[in-house]
Amino acid sequence: MRIKKIVYLFILFTSLFFILLLAQFLTTNEKQTLHHYLPSSVDVALKINNKKLLHRLGFDFLFFIDDLPIKEKPTASSLPPPTGIDAQQEIILYMDYYKDIQFIGALVHVHNPTHFRSFVEDQENMIGATNNGVGAMSIVPKNADSAFLTYMQLYLEDATIKNENRTKTRIGLANSHPKSILHAFIEGSPIGLVQDLTLEGFLDKNTLKITGKGKKNPTIDLIQSPKHFVYEASKPNALEIKAGKLADTVKGFIQTVLFENDYDFPEIASQHVFFYGFDLTQVNEKTILLPKFDGVIHFEETLPAAFLENYPKGPFDQNNPKTVSVGPVNYFIQPLSITELYIGKADNPRFVYYTPENYLSLEGNLETLLILEGDNFFAQVAAALPPVRNSRKFLQSVENFFLSTNFLEDGEVEIESILSFDENTVASLEIIKFLLRF
């Protein structure tokens, strides 16, 4: 009987020890104050809530883990050097400018200033500063001159001192949802469509969900009118993109790559694209990426008269389709109206005509963003590179993805995005496996 009691006590104390150890691992002290240290000039920032992230990862690791791609146990010599950073606390990444030079910085909690300084000094092209448990660091360009380095050192030292100015970015990051693992704030351009945008990420068993709110720029009118859209994808597993005015990348591709600056195209108002991947090919002895897609581009103004003379608007001529060649890659071209242009790989596309409800939406196969095809050596090498191969494998495991926006009458903008895996898959572990493959 005495032995039996001893066994019970041993089991009880072992269980209590395990619970206390687990609680210590999953519980951290709250120090979520780093947004007070953001420089006043920062208008784009991302807060990573490591406490909630560790809770989620710790729970999933203990109860759902099956295998991780670790080939051998880490040894003392293979472990990373101490950084002095308290990884159990929040981290804030931000973007800022010095004159026309863009740089990325980070704010962290520091529990060992000596280790933190050594860590920063050992990193190439990194400078940093620490004060009273707060650390600031930034990666600088290799060719940075002494004036820029001097400015950055003073900038980072100033970033370790609490700033009481109530900037939009600090206010935007001040009230994170208690369950969010990511919280981003983007002030937006004065001429941009959406401003003061707040996005938060939530990690559940098999789903990563992002929700957000912003404000529509009151100087821009969103008068939706009927437009042409591509009816369906010509290839399976496409990524469908409906978007308003984007960066000049699309216009640059049309004007510079497709038509070699023969025409001066107007600004793009919106676009609808089914995207299939990239052709990696050589043009004029240069290796370039050419997108594979079927899309309708909606311009703000009338297409150039000289362009419409060579490519008259009207129904698609299946017997004599207009094409443009970039090296060995062909695109079919057809103006659908004086402000709408079809460009694509399909030689017999179908279109629909309606007024869109969402200004921005993405849905479908994210893997297409990393599909690189081509017959040359560079295409084969690029597709076999570990970052590309591993990223494609990760995106192949995504079962459902969509992102949509909703513009409300009061000027508010709502954003929702969901990335989900198979119901038997744990999202956090898929992300861990992806990161450990590098």
Side-chain angles (χ1 to χ4, degrees):
M1 181 65 69
R2 184 182 180 187
I3 295 177
K4 193 173 182 179
K5 288 183 178 179
I6 293 174
V7 171
Y8 283 148
L9 286 173
F10 176 78
I11 294 174
L12 176 61
F13 279 113
T14 302
S15 301
L16 286 173
F17 175 78
F18 176 77
I19 293 172
L20 290 173
L21 186 64
L22 178 61
Q24 185 178 12
F25 174 73
L26 294 179
T27 305
T28 61
N29 294 323
E30 291 282 1
K31 296 182 181 179
Q32 304 213 7
T33 59
L34 286 183
H35 61 274
H36 291 300
Y37 295 83
L38 277 169
S40 298
S41 54
V42 170
D43 58 11
V44 177
L46 169 66
K47 178 166 67 175
I48 304 173
N49 189 343
N50 282 342
K51 179 183 178 182
K52 295 300 178 185
L53 186 59
L54 286 174
H55 267 273
R56 182 76 252 179
L57 294 181
F59 180 83
D60 291 344
F61 186 88
L62 288 171
F63 295 103
F64 297 110
I65 189 67
D66 49 3
D67 66 303
L68 287 174
I70 302 176
K71 296 181 179 179
E72 57 185 17
K73 294 181 179 180
T75 61
S77 59
S78 66
L79 293 175
T83 64
I85 298 172
D86 188 351
Q88 297 184 78
Q89 302 298 335
E90 64 169 355
I91 295 174
I92 292 183
L93 306 176
Y94 61 87
M95 185 184 300
D96 207 347
Y97 290 86
Y98 168 73
K99 296 183 178 179
D100 293 330
I101 303 175
Q102 183 185 82
F103 62 89
I104 296 176
L107 293 174
V108 297
H109 290 283
V110 175
H111 63 75
N112 190 314
T114 302
H115 286 166
F116 178 78
R117 295 188 187 96
S118 298
F119 167 72
V120 170
E121 291 173 358
D122 291 341
Q123 307 305 308
E124 188 176 2
N125 303 319
M126 182 181 286
I127 57 176
T130 181
N131 178 47
N132 288 333
V134 174
M137 51 188 178
S138 179
I139 297 175
V140 297
K142 291 183 179 180
N143 57 351
D145 57 25
S146 58
F148 177 66
L149 293 175
T150 300
Y151 169 84
M152 284 302 303
Q153 189 63 53
L154 294 173
Y155 174 97
L156 293 173
E157 290 175 2
D158 187 61
T160 63
I161 301 173
K162 195 171 183 179
N163 191 328
E164 300 296 341
N165 292 338
R166 289 176 57 80
T167 66
K168 285 187 175 182
T169 307
R170 295 196 191 105
I171 295 171
L173 294 182
N175 298 311
S176 301
H177 191 283
K179 293 185 178 181
S180 70
I181 60 170
L182 303 172
H183 187 180
F185 178 82
I186 305 169
E187 185 173 334
S189 165
I191 61 173
L193 175 61
V194 180
Q195 299 173 334
D196 300 339
L197 177 62
T198 295
L199 298 170
E200 292 195 78
F202 303 86
L203 195 61
D204 204 351
K205 182 179 181 296
N206 71 323
T207 302
L208 174 63
K209 182 177 180 180
I210 296 176
T211 62
K213 289 187 176 181
K215 298 177 181 177
K216 186 187 78 67
N217 189 336
T219 65
I220 298 178
D221 292 327
L222 279 183
I223 303 175
Q224 295 286 46
S225 58
K227 297 179 177 66
H228 283 95
F229 293 83
V230 181
Y231 177 69
E232 61 185 356
S234 60
K235 296 182 179 181
N237 300 320
L239 177 64
E240 183 178 8
I241 304 170
K242 294 179 182 178
K245 187 172 183 178
L246 298 175
D248 292 335
T249 306
V250 178
K251 181 184 174 184
F253 169 75
I254 296 172
Q255 184 161 307
T256 306
V257 178
L258 279 186
F259 294 100
E260 299 181 338
N261 292 315
D262 289 339
Y263 311 102
D264 185 14
F265 286 92
E267 295 298 316
I268 294 174
S270 61
Q271 49 253 295
H272 176 223
V273 171
F274 284 104
F275 184 75
Y276 311 113
F278 293 95
D279 274 316
L280 188 60
T281 187
Q282 283 194 309
V283 178
N284 298 327
E285 299 182 351
K286 293 182 179 179
T287 302
I288 63 173
L289 283 171
L290 294 175
K292 296 191 296 184
F293 66 96
D294 299 321
V296 177
I297 313 299
H298 310 117
F299 294 92
E300 292 183 353
E301 299 175 358
T302 303
L303 288 163
F307 175 81
L308 290 174
E309 288 179 5
N310 293 325
Y311 301 90
K313 68 181 181 67
F316 203 93
D317 187 351
Q318 300 179 27
N319 298 319
N320 187 27
K322 296 285 187 178
T323 61
V324 171
S325 298
V326 183
V329 179
N330 294 325
Y331 293 92
F332 295 97
I333 305 292
Q334 179 60 53
L336 304 177
S337 71
I338 60 173
T339 60
E340 297 176 306
L341 176 63
Y342 167 77
I343 304 174
K345 304 295 291 182
D347 59 356
N348 186 23
R350 292 196 293 164
F351 306 100
V352 289
Y353 190 71
Y354 64 91
T355 301
E357 294 182 359
N358 291 328
Y359 198 76
L360 170 66
S361 66
L362 286 81
E363 186 173 4
N365 183 16
L366 285 174
E367 185 197 356
T368 59
L369 298 173
L370 294 170
I371 293 179
L372 306 176
E373 295 181 342
D375 297 329
N376 58 52
F377 172 75
F378 293 103
Q380 298 174 29
V381 171
L385 290 173
V388 177
R389 187 179 65 249
N390 293 334
S391 298
R392 282 192 63 181
K393 186 174 182 180
F394 170 72
L395 293 178
Q396 285 171 354
S397 64
V398 176
E399 190 172 79
N400 183 41
F401 166 77
F402 80 87
L403 181 150
S404 65
T405 60
N406 184 23
F407 286 79
L408 306 179
E409 293 183 357
D410 61 359
E412 293 290 319
V413 182
E414 294 180 339
I415 296 179
E416 183 177 6
S417 178
I418 288 181
L419 186 152
S420 60
F421 300 86
D422 179 86
E423 62 179 7
N424 297 319
T425 301
V426 181
S428 63
L429 300 186
E430 286 299 309
I431 296 172
I432 292 176
K433 291 178 183 179
F434 167 64
L435 296 175
L436 289 177
R437 291 189 180 103
F438 289 89

